[in-house]
């Protein structure tokens, strides 16, 4: 598409994809119909060249030059010296401009920072929260939107439920299921305790000393004879 006689500096497309705006070094701003690729409007800037173009959600178009910003009511109402709003930049050169979605605000970036311009009627008044355009979405809502976006990309044949026996079953009572689980745990613990044999622990007594003591019981000595006589 041959838009301008010189280089093209700025390009912007409307939110609905109907119109395309182009700005060139020749000082012209043209609005093209994307369905027929014909120019529907043409604006000539006197001695200026646009550096940035921006469409709002309601069709407002912002034409940003080096030291000024002009906002026009719609793409079909581009008329020279008849802007909807205009804003002058003091001592700085503009580089870019963009409308904030769902708000009547235009942000203009320049060499010294950013200017925020109030543009009545620029933002969409009602948003569609179902399609994921909710600007006040919470953290949980953002995670849900990401999951839904991933599921929409997957083929429906690849989404299945875990376990073949899950479908067609009735969920049991939670208290009864808990009672049955506890009974099974008690039976398992009882069976395990029968297998374990208790061991006699002789702490502080060595095995060698116990064996020698047992052997000395059968040895006949003077001390054992005297003890037997006293006991008799």
């Amino acid at each position: 598409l041959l838009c301008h006689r010189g280089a093209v500096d700025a390009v912007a497309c409307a939110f609905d994809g109907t119109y395309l705006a182009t700005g060139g070094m020749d000082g012209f701003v043209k609005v093209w119909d994307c369905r027929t690729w014909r120019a529907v409007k043409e604006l000539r800037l006197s001695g200026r060249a646009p550096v940035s173009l921006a469409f709002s959600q309601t069709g407002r178009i912002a034409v940003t030059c080096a030291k000024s910003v002009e906002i026009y009511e719609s793409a079909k109402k581009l008329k020279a010296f008849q802007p909807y709003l205009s804003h002058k930049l003091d001592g700085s050169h503009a580089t870019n401009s963009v409308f904030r979605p769902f708000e009547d605000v235009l942000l203009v970036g320049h060499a010294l920072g950013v200017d925020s311009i109030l543009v009545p009627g620029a933002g969409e008044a009602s948003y569609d929260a179902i399609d994921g355009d909710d600007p006040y979405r919470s953290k949980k809502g953002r995670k849900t939107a990401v999951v839904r976006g991933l599921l929409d990309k997957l083929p429906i044949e690849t989404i299945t439920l875990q376990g073949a026996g899950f479908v067609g079953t009735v969920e049991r009572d939670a208290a009864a299921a808990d009672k049955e689980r506890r009974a099974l745990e008690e039976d398992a613990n009882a069976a395990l305790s029968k297998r374990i044999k208790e061991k006699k622990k002789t702490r502080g007594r060595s095995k060698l000393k116990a064996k020698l003591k047992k052997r000395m019981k059968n040895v006949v000595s003077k001390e054992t004879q005297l003890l037997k006589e006293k006991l008799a």
Side-chain angles (χ1 to χ4, degrees):
L1 180 64
L2 183 60
C3 303
H4 302 272
R5 295 182 179 179
V8 178
D9 284 344
V11 178
C13 186
F15 275 79
D16 56 359
T18 307
Y19 297 105
L20 178 72
T22 60
M25 289 290 293
D26 54 359
F28 281 90
V29 175
K30 295 182 180 181
V31 179
W32 304 83
D33 191 342
C34 295
R35 293 164 293 186
T36 60
W37 295 112
R38 293 181 180 180
V40 294
K41 280 293 178 179
E42 184 176 308
L43 172 65
R44 183 175 183 179
L45 304 174
S46 59
R48 297 173 296 167
V51 295
S52 177
L53 299 173
F55 275 98
S56 71
Q57 291 179 319
T58 57
R60 303 272 196 274
I61 179 171
V63 180
T64 305
C65 298
K67 295 184 178 181
S68 63
V69 181
E70 295 179 353
I71 298 98
Y72 294 87
E73 190 173 355
S74 66
K76 292 184 178 180
K77 294 183 179 180
L78 283 176
K79 293 182 180 180
F81 307 108
Q82 294 183 3
Y84 177 67
L85 286 174
S86 61
H87 177 73
K88 299 293 183 181
L89 300 175
D90 297 332
S92 59
H93 293 271
T95 57
N96 195 10
S97 61
V98 63
F99 283 96
R100 293 189 65 177
F102 304 104
E103 294 187 14
D104 298 339
V105 177
L106 173 67
L107 299 177
V108 181
H110 49 82
L112 300 179
V114 179
D115 283 358
S116 180
I117 305 172
L118 181 63
V119 183
E124 183 69 32
S126 59
Y127 56 87
D128 191 356
I130 297 177
D131 291 340
D133 294 334
D134 186 2
Y136 309 106
R137 190 188 307 158
S138 62
K139 185 177 180 181
K140 184 178 180 181
R142 288 194 295 271
K143 290 182 179 179
T144 305
V146 171
V147 173
R148 287 181 177 176
L150 293 174
L151 290 177
D152 291 340
K153 294 180 181 180
L154 294 175
I156 193 172
E157 295 83 6
T158 61
I159 303 175
T160 58
L161 296 175
Q162 293 182 356
F166 178 77
V167 182
T169 59
V170 180
E171 186 178 1
R172 300 178 57 189
D173 186 12
D178 191 19
K179 186 177 181 180
E180 184 178 355
R181 181 180 58 80
R182 290 181 180 179
L184 292 174
E185 289 179 356
E186 291 177 359
D187 295 341
N189 292 334
L192 184 61
S193 61
K194 291 180 180 179
R195 296 178 183 178
I196 300 175
K197 296 181 180 179
E198 295 184 358
K199 296 181 179 181
K200 294 182 179 181
K201 297 181 179 180
T202 57
R203 295 180 180 178
R205 300 178 183 179
S206 63
K207 294 182 179 180
L208 181 60
K209 186 176 180 181
K211 291 180 180 180
L212 292 174
K213 188 175 181 181
K214 190 175 182 180
R215 289 181 182 179
M216 291 300 294
K217 289 182 180 179
N218 299 326
V219 177
V220 179
S221 61
K222 292 181 180 181
E223 289 79 5
T224 55
Q225 289 292 336
L226 291 173
L227 287 172
K228 286 181 180 179
E229 291 176 359
K230 288 181 181 180
L231 292 173

